[in-house]
Each structure stands twice: as C-alpha cells, then as structure tokens.
Amino acid sequence: MWRCSLAASRRLAPRSAPGVDMRPQLRALASSRRWVAHDDTAWYGQQLRATTILSVRKDDKVFLIGDGQVSLGNHVIKDNARKVRTLKEGVICGFAGATADAMTLFERLEMKLQEHPETKRACVEMAKAWRMDKYLRRLEAIMIVCDASVSLTLTGNGDVIEPVDGIIGIGSGGLFATAAARALIDVPGMDAESIGRKAMGIAADMCVFTNKNWVTQTLETRPPEPPKSS
C-alpha cells in the first residue's frame, strides 16, 4: 500500500494555478516512486519471509527448529529445505529469507567466528559489516544464532537482539510460534524441545507458508557457576 506523510504530500504536490485542473498531475504523483512504500508485514525493517524458525532456551537446553517449506509466491516448490544449520561446534543458526543471501551470510559469519571466538562479539561484527558493506546490505534475510550461553537475532539493519526470555521466532509464522512458546515456557514437565515442537505445530496450523517437515538442532547449556566462598 502506498502512503505518504502530510508534510511530504504538501512538499511534493504541485501548486495549482487559478482555473487549472490539477487532478491529472496529482494522480501521476500518487503513482510515482517519490511516495514511500510501507509494508505492514515488515519486521525490524525486514520483509517477513515465508518460513518459521524458532529458538527456545530453557533449563539446560537450547532447541532450534525450522520448517522445510519453500514457497514461490503462492506455490509450494519444496517441502524439505534445511534452514537450520551448524556453523561450528557449539554454534547453531537458522535463517528466514532468500537462500542464496542466507548462504552468503553464513559464510561471512563463519569468518567472523574464526576472527572472534566469542559468539556475541562475532555477531556484533557481522551486523556491522552487514549494515555498512555496500554488497551485504542488499542481502535480505533474518538470522537466529545460538550457542550454549546466548541466543541472538541478526538483521540487515544492524540489530543484534538478545531476548529476555530466551525465545526467538522469525519468519512469516515467527510471531505465532513465539506467542505459543511464551505461553508454554512455564508449564511444568515441558523442556525446551517439547515447547519448541508444540509451538511450531501451532504456527504451522496458522501460517500457510509453514509446514511440519522440521529440521532441529539441540545444544546443552552451561551449568551455572557455583558461588565463590568468601
């Protein structure tokens, strides 16, 4: 949907002379590229992609799950894609977005992890490069990166977001999966994997771009350090 702010419309609209019909010029202006396009499906400035990736952190586990559906417009062209991968030992990642763009970002993030072994530092450096580099900034994807101690969301706007509750959902069904996981996180007897699978099932039932052919990864989290004796 094309929208324009009031100030912009006043600035861009041609001034009319007495007795001159300005409607043709205004119609041409409304269809021009000078008007700003706002997409209601944008999330953190990124287009919501047709997939669902969910990360759940609870107790001593981190569970990352992604569906396998690949859509081209309104058509399903593949149902077993792998959108959840291992970057290196102890670091897992999932993506929503164009496959070629995501593969390029995976390679760049692997390079950053070699330069900076700490996952959070590597993700910050990756987000800086993603934001500033003329080539990388054109890549359209959203990523979840997890290790034993931290879960992060990376976007092309330079965002590196760590959730308070350890739950991250991205993609077209990400909000459904996140809401379901948050509702289940305090249920006794449900670990990270059972919460993730149940939440993804709910998202798959609600989002037509998400199927139930899932790829999963699990990490064991670090036990809390005992308090130092005085």
Side-chain angles (χ1 to χ4, degrees), residues 3-22:
R3 302 174 185 167
C4 184
S5 66
L6 180 59
S9 64
R10 289 175 177 172
R11 183 174 63 253
L12 296 175
R15 297 183 179 180
S16 60
V20 178
D21 186 5
M22 300 300 296

Side-chain angles (χ1 to χ4, degrees), residues 87-164:
L87 289 177
K88 70 172 188 178
E89 184 178 358
V91 181
I92 55 179
C93 182
F95 73 90
T99 303
D101 293 354
M103 294 300 102
T104 302
L105 294 170
F106 278 158
E107 294 175 359
R108 291 299 185 99
L109 184 54
E110 287 176 347
M111 295 171 58
K112 294 297 181 182
L113 286 169
Q114 293 176 359
E115 297 175 9
H116 309 283
E118 184 186 1
T119 302
K120 184 179 291 188
R121 173 68 185 279
C123 288
V124 170
E125 295 298 325
M126 175 64 194
K128 289 165 59 178
W130 193 353
R131 174 68 173 172
M132 302 300 295
D133 188 273
K134 292 182 179 180
Y135 170 68
L136 290 180
R137 72 175 60 171
R138 297 178 180 271
L139 303 182
E140 298 181 355
I142 306 174
M143 303 174 67
I144 297 176
V145 182
C146 304
D147 68 3
S149 59
V150 68
S151 299
L152 300 169
T153 305
L154 276 69
T155 76
N157 287 339
D159 299 313
V160 181
I161 305 169
E162 181 179 1
V164 175

